[in-house]
Amino acid sequence: MATIDTHQHGAPSTGPSTGFDSRPYHERYKAASHFRDREHEFDAVKMGVWLFLSTEVLLFSGMFVAYAVLRFLHPEAFVNGSHYLDRIPGLANTIVLLLSSYTIASAVRNAQLGQFGKLKLNLLITNLCAIAFLLIKFIFEYGPKIAQGKLPGKLFHYPGAHDPSEPLWWGIYWAATGIHATHVIGGIIMISWLLVRANKRHFGPTHYTAIEGVALYWHIVDIVWIFLFPLLYLIH
Amino acid sequence: MSHANPHGQVLDIYPAGAADSHAHHGHTIISGTTLIMVLSALLFFTLLTVGASYAEAWLADLLNIVIPQWINVLVALSIAVVKTALVVLFFMGLKYDNPLNGMIFIFTIVTVACFLGFTLVDLGNRGSIDRIKGTYVTPGGSGGIKTPGGATTEGPITQWAKTGAANAAASGAHGTDTHLETQTDTHAELHDDGVPHASSPEASRPVHGVTLPGFAPPPAAPKDPAEGEPHTPEPAPQHPSKPGNPDGH
């Protein structure tokens, strides 16, 4: 279809020398001038994404260390804290995120195989899962907790606490899940960008660097939740 | 017709660069079956970890025992590590990827292990050092705090929240305002000797039960300055639960 479309504009296309390339975007795509070729660019971008993900892991590891230290010093408060959380919305969110990880991994595969329709569908499902994650989070967790005063630090005014250190638990809870939710919002923005570009047929077997990068990011967001879920909800 | 690329398994990202001998090293297309199987495994492990969490709570209630926290931690985190390995190897494709990316990832994990490891070794052994120095790590949490109103509370902020709710209940006993829900909540928890009957999202329940003999903590070893024998360092996670796991609450 892209070929037919371009033929209309392509006039008597007599090969590349005329200056107009009738191939679809992902085939005529040229690597940036400072790369040898597309392969070189793909590898460099992917390694860059991995380095970025490494800093992401270190960012969250600060949170996990803080969790360990505070749990160490205030075990009672943290035992009480995990009892405040409902495992069901947490489980639902875990399943939603795992599904989205699967669909975006499939999206990479679709791009590699040139399955443009499935590519768009998988990206769309991924984005819907991400939005569902945030909805579950805000409706079933953040909303009621804000209303009841289960807040960190001096914002805390929940009257039913047993342990004087429970505001610290809420500090970790809000910081960790809040930064994670921020990453989910960032993911939604980037996946939407992929959808727009996929709609323009920008991605295909010869060029899918952006999908690969965003997919890697999205998997890391999933992995962080894989750890947050047991640490906050399940260990009691 | 429009696309020259066949739906083959080897993906040449740069057809014109045939001279580029290393062009075929990457870009494995992971099969759909593999992806589905990994997803199923991830969902299975998710249900397993939630099930284990329920089972532990149920067992502790049934036998009236305290399951040591490190068992909880061990079970939950082992499953999380397995799930992470699945995601990293297959969804992120590290199994088929340039080894350099794998090295970046492993380096990151080692760094995180250093953060956690050194922190916990430090915290877990302060008892033996502070005894020499004559002071102890205090749990804290009992200091006053500046409330949003501007006043500094006397005791912990949790106590301030309790009295605030009680005052509100006393002043507007028959008022039907938004505080009602939290008030009943408070009464339910406070008038029952501070111990709710069951753990729920709305009520924290202090741990109660008997600690099994094998897991019984040595009696207050690090806190006793008179004791001559140096406190042997032990695995970090189980240490903190000792002062906080009283039988009678």
Side-chain angles (χ1 to χ4, degrees), chain A residues 1-3 24 26-27 36-40 42-43 46-48 50-51 53-55 57-58 61-62 64-65 68-76 78-81 83-88 91 94-95 98-99 101-102 105-106 109 111-116 144 147-148 150 153-168 201 205-209 212 215-217 219-220 222-223 226-227 229-231 233-236, chain B residues 2-5 7-9 11-15 20 22-23 25-32 35-36 39 42-43 46-47 49-50 53-54 56-57 69 72-73 76-77 80-81 83-84 87-88 91-92 94 97 100-101 104-105 108 111-112 115-116 119-120 123-124 137 139-141 145-148 156-158 160-162 165 181-182 185-186 189 194-196 199-207 236-237 239-241 244-246 249:
Chain A
M1 200 160 97
T3 323
H26 59 90
E27 281 179 29
R36 258 196 320 276
D37 49 43
R38 285 197 290 229
E39 180 71 20
H40 187 203
F42 181 89
D43 283 350
K46 197 167 177 184
M47 195 174 89
W50 270 105
L51 284 170
L53 295 185
S54 162
T55 69
V57 170
L58 295 181
S61 79
F64 291 129
V65 170
V69 169
L70 291 176
R71 174 151 215 139
F72 204 97
L73 294 177
H74 308 277
E76 274 288 271
F78 272 58
V79 168
N80 289 349
H83 282 145
Y84 285 126
L85 301 186
D86 194 345
R87 276 173 282 205
I88 300 305
L91 173 64
T94 309
I95 292 174
L98 289 176
L99 270 178
S101 243
Y102 165 75
S106 303
R109 180 182 146 79
Q112 287 171 327
L113 294 175
Q115 302 163 333
F116 302 107
Q148 293 165 344
K150 293 168 175 171
K154 71 180 197 178
L155 298 174
F156 182 90
H157 60 89
Y158 176 65
H162 286 290
D163 192 287
S165 308
E166 278 179 29
L168 288 174
R201 290 273 171 103
T206 47
H207 179 63
Y208 59 96
T209 316
E212 179 87 26
L216 287 176
Y217 167 86
H219 292 313
I220 280 286
D222 184 26
I223 286 175
I226 284 178
F227 278 96
F229 174 54
L231 285 178
Y233 293 75
L234 298 184
I235 297 174
H236 42 80
Chain B
S2 59
H3 306 115
N5 198 295
H7 293 192
Q9 285 304 301
L11 188 54
D12 190 354
I13 196 175
Y14 192 65
D20 210 356
H22 77 285
H25 73 83
H27 305 287
T28 308
I29 303 175
I30 300 166
S31 81
L35 292 179
I36 277 283
L39 175 67
L42 287 170
L43 291 175
T46 303
L47 294 179
T49 190
V50 173
S53 156
Y54 276 112
E56 280 166 356
Q69 226 174 53
N72 274 272
V73 174
L77 288 192
V81 165
K83 285 166 73 181
T84 301
V87 172
V88 168
F91 281 178
M92 300 177 89
L94 209 52
D97 204 355
L100 193 56
N101 293 336
I104 293 173
F105 184 72
T108 311
T111 313
V112 172
F115 286 174
L116 266 174
T119 308
L120 290 180
L123 269 179
V137 182
I145 191 167
K146 259 205 171 122
T147 64
I157 190 171
T158 46
W160 167 83
K162 271 196 185 91
E181 198 179 332
T182 23
D185 192 10
T186 317
E189 290 193 18
V195 182
S199 149
S200 80
E202 295 317 323
S204 71
R205 186 198 52 166
V207 175
H239 186 78
S241 57
N245 260 358
H249 227 296

Side-chain angles (χ1 to χ4, degrees), chain A residues 128-145:
Chain A
L128 290 179
C129 283
I131 291 166
F133 178 89
L134 288 180
L135 285 179
I136 293 173
K137 194 106 206 133
F138 276 91
I139 293 173
F140 294 104
E141 304 211 25
Y142 283 173
K145 282 178 180 55

Side-chain angles (χ1 to χ4, degrees), chain A residues 139-220:
Chain A
I139 293 173
F140 294 104
E141 304 211 25
Y142 283 173
K145 282 178 180 55
I146 291 172
Q148 293 165 344
K150 293 168 175 171
L151 292 164
K154 71 180 197 178
L155 298 174
F156 182 90
H157 60 89
Y158 176 65
H162 286 290
D163 192 287
S165 308
E166 278 179 29
L168 288 174
W169 157 268
W170 293 115
I172 284 291
Y173 170 82
W174 283 99
T177 62
I179 293 180
H180 180 262
T182 311
H183 277 78
V184 172
I185 293 171
I188 290 175
I189 293 170
M190 284 189 284
I191 296 165
S192 306
W193 171 66
L194 290 185
L195 261 174
V196 171
R197 290 192 61 190
N199 207 34
K200 294 181 189 165
R201 290 273 171 103
H202 274 199
F203 305 118
T206 47
H207 179 63
Y208 59 96
T209 316
I211 296 183
E212 179 87 26
V214 174
L216 287 176
Y217 167 86
W218 191 250
H219 292 313
I220 280 286

